[in-house]
Amino acid sequence: MLCLGIETSCDETGVALVRDGRLIGEKLATQIDVHALFGGVVPEIASREHLKVLPALFRALIEECSIEFSEIDRIAVARGPGLLGSLLVGVNFAKALSLASNVKVLGVNHLWAHLLSPGLEQNLEFPSLGLLVSGGHTHIYRINSPESFELLGRTLDDAAGEAFDKTAKLLNFPYPGGRLVDEFGAKEKPDKRMFPVPYIHNENLDFSFSGLKTCVANYVNQNPELKIEGMVLPENEESDLSSKRNIMLSSFNYTVGETLKVKVGRALEKNSGIKSLIVAGGVAANSVVRKVMADCASRFSVPLILPPLRLCTDNAAMIAYAGYCLGKRGYYHDLSFEAIPRGRVVPTDWLSEC
Ligand code: KG4
Ligand code: ZN
């Protein structure tokens, strides 16, 4: 089965082709530079950028892979959750392609696609436990199969990636700062008592990062010299000040890692028969998160499955792969399926050929 994937849920425009579960081509256009001027994603600008670049990306992909459109069996598109205007660009493009070609279209849950993405390179066994840590979501799922995800826990306020980005912003780091918190924090050891590990003294599998954000904001307010000037990153700066800043970042990163470790450990304790732990989403690129999840997996003797770094953040390869997994089971949508904005549950309203 040859599946086309289309991703436009936030600020990355992507198209990819997956044949029988393997990636054969991919194009990605990031809008980071455009949004960096505003310190965060501006939804209307994001939609306009998708509209501008998507057709050319699609054409370039088809040419580069030397395929005829008639060879495609499914058109998979991220239908949500995400920015509504951005999603509408991808969903409408997918529907137009389907209408013009009679190839069946399939709306894919962007969050599930993140968690299935390691399947492009390794064998996934189910049931598995999935931790999705991205800019908009922090979810723990029991994944019974590529078509059956049970939500076990979620953030009650900010997502893990949001906490990283906001910490970076408090220090005037350029957008998107999550990766920089990781990079600069790695230069120092954490002070493990600097911030309390949030929302662990309970029995549930939910998360809360807003208290930690307040602790970081208070710390920065009390130590305003930590803020960098003019959004210019310190280069090879070896001073007490940068060391103090990096210790704070390392401590923040440690604290997020501990929260994730406690809740994922609890989920592994509560769920029997789990064959692997999958960790995905932008924050799965974080070095501390990768390390603590490896510890967690080894404590419960389950293999840890991580996407390669390039597949952690948004991309169309994961959408094409999720489309392939569902498409080969016979699922598709008719042309009336909706785009689902952030905050609403993405329905499993596929139709079936079988
Ligand atoms: O999955 P993703 O690309 O987009 C969403 O679906 O939200 O995740 C983006 C998030 C951003 O918040 C970004 O700062 C964060 O992932 N991120 C990181 C790292 N790389 C990306 N956060 C911490 N450490 C990293 N190395
Ligand atoms: Zn994402």
Side-chain angles (χ1 to χ4, degrees):
M1 165 173 275
L2 182 61
C3 184
L4 169 70
I6 301 169
E7 161 62 39
T8 63
S9 61
C10 189
D11 59 346
E12 312 280 346
T13 319
V15 286
L17 282 164
V18 162
R19 178 173 273 140
D20 298 332
R22 295 290 163 258
L23 184 65
I24 61 166
E26 181 182 17
K27 295 268 166 214
L28 191 69
T30 181
Q31 306 176 3
I32 283 180
D33 290 349
V34 183
H35 299 292
L37 299 170
F38 302 92
V41 177
V42 183
E44 189 183 319
I45 295 179
S47 320
R48 286 165 182 251
E49 287 292 313
H50 291 308
L51 197 60
K52 204 155 74 183
V53 305
L54 184 54
L57 276 191
F58 168 71
R59 186 161 283 162
L61 177 76
I62 298 289
E63 278 169 21
E64 191 179 286
C65 295
S66 311
I67 64 143
E68 296 295 325
F69 195 87
S70 55
E71 293 174 57
I72 295 176
D73 302 295
R74 273 292 181 284
I75 300 162
V77 60
R79 68 179 299 200
L83 300 172
L84 189 60
S86 291
L87 290 166
L88 287 173
V89 177
V91 168
N92 253 333
F93 189 74
K95 288 186 180 185
L97 285 179
S98 173
L99 213 87
S101 64
N102 267 332
V103 175
K104 287 196 169 87
V105 70
L106 178 63
V108 166
N109 182 325
H110 174 92
L111 307 180
W112 294 16
H114 267 299
L115 284 163
L116 293 172
S117 68
L120 277 168
E121 300 191 343
Q122 50 192 308
N123 196 27
L124 301 182
E125 285 195 66
F126 302 104
S128 57
L129 194 84
L131 172 68
L132 172 81
V133 268
S134 70
H137 298 85
T138 309
H139 283 182
I140 300 182
Y141 291 100
R142 181 186 168 98
I143 310 173
N144 297 312
S145 73
E147 65 203 281
S148 163
F149 283 56
E150 274 173 65
L151 186 61
L152 304 177
R154 58 186 304 168
T155 182
L156 304 176
D157 40 58
D158 291 350
E162 230 172 322
F164 274 95
D165 292 339
K166 285 178 177 169
T167 294
K169 205 168 184 177
L170 284 168
L171 295 173
N172 287 338
F173 278 15
Y175 168 85
R179 187 182 53 77
L180 300 170
V181 171
D182 188 7
E183 187 186 318
F184 282 86
K187 295 177 194 278
E188 293 286 349
K189 290 206 167 21
D191 171 352
K192 296 185 179 176
R193 293 148 66 101
M194 187 177 283
F195 303 119
V197 180
Y199 205 63
I200 53 170
H201 300 294
N202 50 51
E203 294 296 308
N204 64 45
L205 300 178
D206 294 329
F207 299 95
S208 167
F209 292 103
S210 64
L212 177 58
K213 182 180 67 187
T214 307
C215 289
V216 175
N218 289 342
Y219 188 87
V220 175
N221 282 340
Q222 284 154 16
N223 300 275
E225 71 284 2
L226 294 180
K227 295 185 186 184
I228 60 165
E229 301 276 329
M231 287 199 168
V232 180
L233 287 173
E235 266 183 56
N236 301 322
E237 184 198 30
E238 281 196 24
S239 66
D240 289 348
L241 181 60
S242 70
S243 164
K244 185 173 173 180
R245 186 189 303 116
N246 293 342
I247 290 172
M248 191 207 90
L249 294 175
S250 176
S251 309
F252 166 80
N253 211 337
Y254 162 83
T255 307
V256 174
E258 286 304 289
T259 310
L260 298 177
K261 188 164 85 179
V262 169
K263 295 290 170 129
V264 168
R266 198 176 284 169
L268 286 167
E269 248 162 43
K270 286 185 177 179
N271 279 269
S272 55
I274 294 294
K275 299 216 174 91
S276 65
L277 169 62
I278 305 177
V279 182
V283 183
N286 182 271
S287 57
V288 175
V289 171
R290 289 174 97 86
K291 164 90 182 52
V292 293
M293 286 299 122
D295 296 345
C296 208
S298 91
R299 185 155 73 90
F300 289 89
S301 305
V302 290
L304 173 65
I305 311 260
L306 287 167
L309 291 182
R310 69 182 171 81
L311 288 182
C312 285
T313 40
D314 290 347
N315 62 85
M318 67 184 195
I319 304 299
Y321 181 73
Y324 155 77
C325 291
L326 295 169
K328 83 172 177 191
R329 288 169 167 77
Y331 294 119
Y332 68 98
H333 276 113
D334 65 24
L335 291 177
S336 66
F337 78 94
E338 284 184 285
I340 309 294
R342 192 174 153 187
R344 263 179 58 197
V345 176
V346 178
T348 50
D349 53 1
W350 320 291
L351 304 169
S352 175
E353 283 169 339
C354 308

